[in-house]
């Protein structure tokens, strides 16, 4: 029989702001969805068209997660058939400068590599 586990009397460290922000965008395609909503509200089908490689199931899951985290709001449109429109909240808009910075770095890397490397290919630097 093992020794009993004692309760730690030290308070946990404060959470890391960087980890908290990156946690908001966890999940495949989440930054892409936020980026695509930066221009104007979009309907589900429009987002599917904007990201052709995403499945409906994954897009639906990302939109629900982003909505639950307060980054995206969903507005039901009273149309026939019923539809919904998604838009960024003010908190979601605050992430745009960081995503734009990442896009800028990605653009420079692609230019330096001479095109986007495929999975499994070594990266060509310099």
């Amino acid at each position: 029989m093992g020794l009993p586990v004692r309760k730690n009397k030290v308070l946990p460290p404060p959470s890391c702001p960087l980890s908290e922000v990156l946690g908001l965008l966890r999940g495949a395609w989440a930054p892409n969805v936020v980026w695509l909503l930066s221009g104007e509200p979009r309907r589900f089908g429009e987002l599917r068209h904007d990201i052709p490689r995403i499945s409906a199931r994954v897009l639906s899951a990302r939109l629900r997660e982003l909505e639950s985290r307060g980054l995206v709001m969903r507005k039901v449109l009273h149309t026939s058939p019923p539809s919904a429109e998604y838009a960024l909240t003010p908190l979601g808009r605050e992430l745009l400068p960081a995503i734009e910075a990442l896009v800028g770095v990605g653009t420079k890397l692609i230019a330096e590599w001479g095109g986007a490397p495929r999975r499994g290919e070594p990266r060509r630097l310099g």
Side-chain angles (χ1 to χ4, degrees):
M1 180 142 93
L3 295 173
V5 176
R6 297 177 291 181
K7 187 172 181 173
N8 193 344
K9 295 180 175 109
V10 178
L11 293 175
S15 61
C16 172
L18 181 59
S19 296
E20 292 297 319
V21 169
L22 291 176
L24 290 174
L25 292 174
R26 73 176 179 261
W29 303 105
N32 301 69
V33 172
V34 171
W35 178 259
L36 290 168
L37 290 174
S38 66
E40 61 185 351
R42 306 288 285 163
R43 293 187 312 273
F44 185 88
E46 293 170 331
L47 288 169
R48 278 288 316 271
H49 185 266
D50 294 341
I51 314 172
R53 294 181 2 209
I54 194 169
S55 69
R57 180 179 176 183
V58 171
L59 178 57
S60 181
R62 285 311 146 256
L63 287 168
R64 279 194 305 270
E65 288 172 10
L66 293 169
E67 185 180 10
S68 72
R69 293 179 189 140
L71 302 177
V72 169
M73 63 181 158
R74 180 178 187 262
K75 177 183 173 187
V76 177
L77 303 174
H78 300 290
T79 59
S80 181
S83 162
E85 194 172 68
Y86 298 90
L88 290 178
T89 63
L91 178 61
R93 291 210 164 277
E94 288 187 40
L95 291 170
L96 292 176
I99 293 174
E100 288 171 1
L102 290 171
V103 168
V105 172
T107 302
K108 289 177 186 175
L109 288 174
I110 289 170
E112 188 172 319
W113 292 335
R118 292 185 213 139
R119 286 188 181 181
E121 282 187 10
R123 293 187 172 130
R124 294 171 282 154
L125 297 176

